[in-house]
Amino acid sequence: MVYIDPTWAAANPGQQVDWDVGLNNTSGAYLSDNGFTMCTTTAGGGGFYVNLNQFGGCNSSPEELTTAGWYTLKQVFQSVGVRSL
């Protein structure tokens, strides 16, 4: 869980918070990184742009949190390939 404070975000534009998950394949070898990047903004009176991406970086986003409170970031992982035995 993360606490969002739009007042702090408006006073500190351009700050970045990353939450990252590294993924391995079924053999244990590195596969990719996926994560959330939250960037402070003064837009709309202050808040955080939220992006789901592989490489981080602050970008404007249609997903903007502008209400103070606790938020849960959730990623769902699932197999994209099924192997028959």
Side-chain angles (χ1 to χ4, degrees), residues 8-85:
W8 184 88
N12 297 278
Q15 299 297 309
Q16 179 175 324
V17 176
D18 292 309
W19 181 71
D20 183 82
V21 175
L23 301 174
N24 293 338
N25 65 20
T26 56
S27 300
Y30 172 77
L31 186 59
S32 69
D33 282 313
N34 289 282
F36 290 96
T37 299
M38 298 184 302
C39 306
T40 57
T41 178
T42 58
F48 286 81
Y49 288 130
V50 180
N51 294 281
L52 180 61
N53 57 53
Q54 293 180 328
F55 305 109
C58 285
N59 300 307
S60 62
S61 166
E63 305 302 325
E64 183 181 359
L65 303 178
T66 58
T67 302
W70 287 98
Y71 289 80
T72 300
L73 304 177
K74 181 178 178 181
Q75 284 182 298
V76 177
F77 298 95
Q78 58 187 348
S79 176
V80 294
V82 177
R83 184 173 25 163
S84 299
L85 298 177

